[in-house]
């Protein structure tokens, strides 16, 4: 008498998980266009967020499920009712003179370097990405220091969309923003950055979570 083959069981579980992942990916690509969804966004930690409801989601499939749900529908109805109420009061559509925005003359892309690799920490392999950007010109007061943002490839039309990657955007006036394609992961608490006012260098470091595996 013999028990179940552990290799066969493991293979079946992996196949089931792979089919589920592909099914969820098909839901995203076939039933909902994220590029045209005005409420699809990423917060400052790179997490997927619904701007209308304020909910945070692990992946695009989870977000699409939320959009198809009753909570999102209720928020849409409330938003529509609020907008219609403002229109009746004449608060929407009234022509108001908008203040002119200050035109900023950009001076090109700053010089930058990217370093990536891995190291072992407590016998666990950790992956990292370091970015060093030189900003020799600009206003570096406390309110105008360089900033970064994690952007999904589905939120832009510059590079090819890739579900396994995301973009690290770094910007500082008056330079043009730079975009670095990095492996996709939940980077909450994994990013540190500092601006050296003596050398005008901006340094950003990403150390991926312990459970991250480079594919």
């Amino acid at each position: 008498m013999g028990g179940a083959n552990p290799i066969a069981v493991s293979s079946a579980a992996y196949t089931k998980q792979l089919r589920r992942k592909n099914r969820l990916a098909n839901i995203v690509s076939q039933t909902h266009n994220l590029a045209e969804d005005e409420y699809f966004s990423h917060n400052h930690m790179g997490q997927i967020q619904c701007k209308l409801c304020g909910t945070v989601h692990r992946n695009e499939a989870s977000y699409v499920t939320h959009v198809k749900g009753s909570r999102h529908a209720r928020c849409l109805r409330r938003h529509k009712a609020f907008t219609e109420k403002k229109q009746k009061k004449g608060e929407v559509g009234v022509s108001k003179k908008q203040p002119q925005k200050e035109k900023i003359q950009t001076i090109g892309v700053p010089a930058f370097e990217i370093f990536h690799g891995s190291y072992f920490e407590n016998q666990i392999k950790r992956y990292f990405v370091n970015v060093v950007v030189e900003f020799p010109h600009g206003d570096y007061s406390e309110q105008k220091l360089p900033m970064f943002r994690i952007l999904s490839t589905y939120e832009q039309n510059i590079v090819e969309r890739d579900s396994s990657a995301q973009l690290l955007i770094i910007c500082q006036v008056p330079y043009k923003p730079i975009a670095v394609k990095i492996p996709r992961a939940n980077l909450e608490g994994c990013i540190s950055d500092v601006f050296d006012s003596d050398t005008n260098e901006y340094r950003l470091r990403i150390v991926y979570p312990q459970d991250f595996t480079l594919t």
Side-chain angles (χ1 to χ4, degrees):
M1 296 180 65
N5 188 335
I7 297 179
V9 173
S10 176
S11 177
Y14 174 77
T15 302
K16 182 178 180 180
Q17 183 180 7
L18 184 61
R19 288 176 179 174
R20 180 177 180 273
K21 183 177 181 181
N22 291 335
R23 185 168 65 254
L24 293 176
N26 288 332
I27 292 175
V28 174
S29 60
Q30 297 178 8
T31 67
H32 195 78
N33 191 341
L34 295 176
E36 297 180 358
D37 188 336
E38 60 180 319
Y39 302 119
F40 178 81
S41 67
H42 283 73
N43 59 23
H44 67 288
M45 300 307 302
Q47 298 171 311
I48 296 175
Q49 184 176 20
C50 175
K51 291 193 293 185
L52 178 65
C53 307
T55 53
V56 177
H57 306 274
R58 293 180 300 174
N59 48 47
E60 285 90 350
S62 173
Y63 174 81
V64 171
T65 301
H66 161 74
V67 169
K68 304 296 183 182
S70 59
R71 178 176 179 180
H72 190 80
R74 287 197 304 270
C75 290
L76 282 174
R77 290 195 295 269
R78 292 173 183 171
H79 180 70
K80 181 179 178 180
F82 176 75
T83 303
E84 291 176 349
K85 185 177 179 180
K86 289 182 66 177
Q87 288 176 339
K88 290 180 181 179
K89 291 183 177 180
E91 296 178 3
V92 174
V94 177
S95 178
K96 294 183 179 180
K97 187 177 181 180
Q98 298 293 332
Q100 292 185 350
K101 294 184 179 180
E102 180 184 358
K103 293 183 179 180
I104 300 175
Q105 184 68 35
T106 59
I107 57 176
V109 179
F112 65 95
E113 292 182 292
I114 304 173
F115 309 91
H116 58 87
S118 62
Y119 65 94
F120 283 90
E121 181 182 87
N122 298 328
Q123 299 183 345
I124 299 176
K125 195 171 186 179
R126 304 292 300 273
Y127 295 91
F128 70 88
V129 176
N130 290 345
V131 183
V132 180
V133 189
E134 296 181 7
F135 292 118
H137 306 288
D139 180 2
Y140 302 116
S141 60
E142 185 175 353
Q143 292 79 16
K144 297 182 180 181
L145 292 177
M147 298 182 296
F148 74 89
R149 180 188 175 190
I150 302 297
L151 192 71
S152 167
T153 58
Y154 291 90
E155 293 183 271
Q156 49 77 50
N157 297 312
I158 300 176
V159 301
E160 183 179 357
R161 295 179 180 179
D162 185 354
S163 60
S164 65
Q166 55 195 358
L167 296 178
L168 167 64
I169 309 297
I170 299 176
C171 57
Q172 167 64 29
V173 176
Y175 295 90
K176 292 182 178 180
I178 63 174
V180 180
K181 192 174 182 180
I182 59 176
R184 180 177 175 180
N186 183 357
L187 300 179
E188 182 175 359
C190 300
I191 303 177
S192 59
D193 64 329
V194 63
F195 180 74
D196 188 335
S197 58
D198 294 330
T199 61
N200 286 344
E201 286 186 344
Y202 177 70
R203 303 185 186 96
L204 184 143
R205 178 175 175 83
I206 302 174
V207 179
Y208 279 79
Q210 294 184 0
D211 58 354
F212 172 79
T213 302
L214 189 64
T215 57

